Amino acid sequence: MRLAILAGLLAGLAGCAPQVEIQNQPLLAGEANHARTLPAWPADRPLVVLAFSGGGVRASAMAYDTLEQLGVQPDGAGGTLLDDVAVISSVSGGSVTAAYYGLYGKAGLADFYGKFLAQDNMGKMESQLLNPWVDFKLTAGLMGRVDAERDLFDAELFDHKTFADLQAGPGPIILLNATDMASGDIFTFGPSRFDDLCSNLARLPVATAVSSSAAFPILLSPVTLRDFSAGCAVTRHAGSMGAYLAGNPAGPFVNFDQYEEALYENDLQHGPAARTDVQYIHLLDGGLADNLGVTTLGRAMTGQTRDAPVLSLFNQPNPPKKILVVSVRARSFVESPLYQQAAAPGEIGMINAVTGIPLDANTSNLDDNFATLSAEVNAGLAQIAQAYGQAPPQVYYVDIDPDQLQGADAGLRTAIEAIPTSWTVSQAQLATIQSAVHELLVINPAFQALLAGQNVPAE
């Protein structure tokens, strides 16, 4: 209901097409996009990587409660599993939590509940849209609909901080994901992609990336970036299509996903035989391309991106012996009345289907991708371990998904999946989410196996 009200306000205020506000800046002479490195990792300390899905504040809360639960769980190496988180890949509502944790770390995590989760964020956005000055700017095309969301994030959470702050923050490496509206490709806010654009990542506001990741189609306008790569005079990372094919002549036939990623990178860099002249990138909700965030996490764990050099920890003697991979899925389920009606759906029903089905389908189809990721990661780590004459690390894959709640917990599943995809939830709904996350994590067989191997009980 609140989304419907907000959509009505936005539709009523929308006038002229908004003037394009370019959100990013070019790389200048002497500048570079630096990737974060991971510190040395003791062999007995588990390495933890997380993927946070989309789903509005329901996803934000599930991500937050996962971090909270990891924070009270001893890791058997003198800390907690939250201390062991090295990388988070996120989408949409999950990106709000991920970015906040990246900026403020453990010390600031407790504030997130009061600052965002417990707030009537939809009411704040509605009030902002009813402001006469905002009304004028929207109708005159001086701002886009997504700007209301970006301004909310900045005012409540990010305080105009940039990626320079995020990369220097106390939290882990954060990979925020949006969707390229033209190509449908995943757009990850990291040094590699901004090298492709010849753009300075450090100066980009964090709120811009988070609002891109959560720019729900039709309800919100896209976020626009400029591609400055034509004539770029700055030395960037190697990544041309020619270099890829030289090293992988069978690439188009062996690993088509990597080949497609190389084609996209080549287009953005205005490389040899680029398929199109990319001048602007228009970004929408990351859930349109991958509503789980696992694709980007998989690229990091298999060495396909320099944004999160996970494999560097294993290209050395005595690497970590255990890896915990957690995918947090803020799944929803609302029974559709279409199954009980003979009449064809109207325009609103079709819009809901066009915007909702891709996100829901991606969540379902990426189950297979997560299984593929597991196989690729295991194979890659085994190959590296063999080169050093040591046993490969044990990898524990954990899904946190409301659909796993069965039997006596079926009511809990129904309650959490009925929470609407919005930016406001009640205190009772937040308590439901907390109970579900705790239950799903501690009963997970892979999680229990990790704890048993570390000789610690579940908290």
Side-chain angles (χ1 to χ4, degrees), residues 224-249:
T224 300
L225 304 179
R226 179 70 187 269
D227 188 338
F228 299 104
S229 63
C232 181
V234 177
T235 301
R236 299 173 289 172
H237 75 285
S240 72
M241 194 67 212
Y244 172 81
L245 290 176
N248 304 273

Side-chain angles (χ1 to χ4, degrees), residues 206-227:
V206 172
T208 295
V210 176
S211 59
S212 301
S213 184
F216 194 80
I218 300 179
L219 178 65
L220 298 174
S221 53
V223 172
T224 300
L225 304 179
R226 179 70 187 269
D227 188 338

Side-chain angles (χ1 to χ4, degrees), residues 324-329 370 396-400 404 440-441 444-448 450:
L324 174 64
V325 182
V326 181
S327 172
V328 182
R329 311 180 185 208
F370 196 58
Y396 303 85
Y397 297 95
V398 173
D399 278 324
I400 297 179
Q404 296 166 332
L440 287 168
L441 189 59
N444 186 281
F447 190 70
Q448 292 177 344
L450 169 71

Side-chain angles (χ1 to χ4, degrees), residues 57-362:
V57 77
R58 184 182 64 254
S60 303
M62 285 189 68
Y64 167 79
D65 287 321
T66 299
L67 295 174
E68 284 280 286
Q69 186 61 36
L70 293 177
V72 299
Q73 179 61 62
D75 64 359
T80 69
L81 288 177
L82 185 59
D83 299 320
D84 304 325
V85 176
V87 181
I88 302 176
S89 172
S90 62
V91 178
S92 198
S95 289
V96 182
T97 308
Y100 190 85
Y101 182 60
L103 281 169
Y104 303 109
K106 289 178 64 177
L109 185 60
D111 296 334
F112 184 73
Y113 185 95
K115 279 183 152 185
F116 188 74
L117 296 180
Q119 296 293 318
D120 181 9
N121 298 301
M122 295 299 290
K124 292 179 181 181
M125 289 180 67
E126 290 161 10
S127 297
Q128 181 185 7
L129 292 169
L130 292 172
N131 180 296
W133 176 237
V134 174
D135 182 355
F136 169 75
K137 289 197 292 183
L138 278 169
T139 34
L142 299 177
M143 67 180 288
R145 297 189 302 278
V146 75
D147 295 333
E149 182 183 67
R150 182 196 62 199
D151 292 346
L152 170 72
F153 292 153
D154 242 346
E156 301 298 322
L157 298 172
F158 303 129
D159 194 27
H160 306 288
K161 292 187 182 297
T162 66
F163 269 78
D165 300 304
L166 183 62
Q167 291 179 312
I173 294 175
I174 304 297
L175 303 174
L176 307 173
N177 299 286
T179 300
D180 184 329
M181 186 176 174
S183 68
D185 285 284
I186 297 170
F187 186 98
T188 302
F189 285 82
S192 296
R193 190 60 79 220
F194 271 66
D195 263 9
D196 295 337
L197 303 182
C198 195
S199 180
N200 189 305
L201 176 64
R203 291 200 293 267
L204 188 81
V206 172
T208 295
V210 176
S211 59
S212 301
S213 184
F216 194 80
I218 300 179
L219 178 65
L220 298 174
S221 53
V223 172
T224 300
L225 304 179
R226 179 70 187 269
D227 188 338
F228 299 104
S229 63
C232 181
V234 177
T235 301
R236 299 173 289 172
H237 75 285
S240 72
M241 194 67 212
Y244 172 81
L245 290 176
N248 304 273
F253 310 99
V254 176
N255 193 322
F256 193 71
D257 288 341
Q258 286 188 27
Y259 175 64
E260 284 289 297
E261 171 64 14
L263 284 173
Y264 181 55
E265 183 180 82
N266 188 63
D267 290 342
L268 297 182
Q269 291 191 2
H270 289 192
R275 298 170 298 179
T276 185
D277 178 19
V278 180
Q279 298 186 33
Y280 299 94
I281 308 291
H282 302 283
L283 300 173
L284 285 173
D285 194 295
L288 294 170
D290 174 1
N291 200 34
L292 299 180
V294 299
T295 302
T296 297
L297 191 64
R299 290 172 180 169
M301 295 188 67
T302 52
Q304 298 176 45
T305 174
R306 70 188 183 96
D307 295 345
V310 175
L311 287 187
S312 66
L313 298 177
F314 298 91
N315 280 312
Q316 59 188 19
N318 203 29
K321 296 178 181 178
K322 296 182 177 69
I323 304 175
L324 174 64
V325 182
V326 181
S327 172
V328 182
R329 311 180 185 208
R331 193 189 299 270
S332 66
F333 178 81
V334 179
E335 187 173 359
S336 174
L338 297 180
Y339 286 122
Q340 286 82 43
Q341 70 178 51
E347 292 183 358
I348 297 299
M350 289 188 289
I351 288 174
N352 288 337
V354 168
T355 55
I357 286 175
L359 272 69
D360 295 337
N362 274 331

Side-chain angles (χ1 to χ4, degrees), residues 363-426:
T363 300
S364 177
N365 294 338
L366 280 161
D367 288 343
D368 295 333
N369 283 18
F370 196 58
T372 301
L373 160 68
S374 305
E376 290 180 352
V377 169
N378 290 343
L381 291 172
Q383 186 176 9
I384 293 173
Q386 185 178 16
Y388 283 93
Q390 55 199 13
Q394 178 67 46
V395 188
Y396 303 85
Y397 297 95
V398 173
D399 278 324
I400 297 179
D401 187 330
D403 267 4
Q404 296 166 332
L405 295 167
Q406 302 295 328
D409 293 321
L412 188 60
R413 181 193 72 235
T414 301
I416 192 172
E417 291 186 345
I419 297 172
T421 300
S422 168
W423 289 126
T424 296
V425 290
S426 68

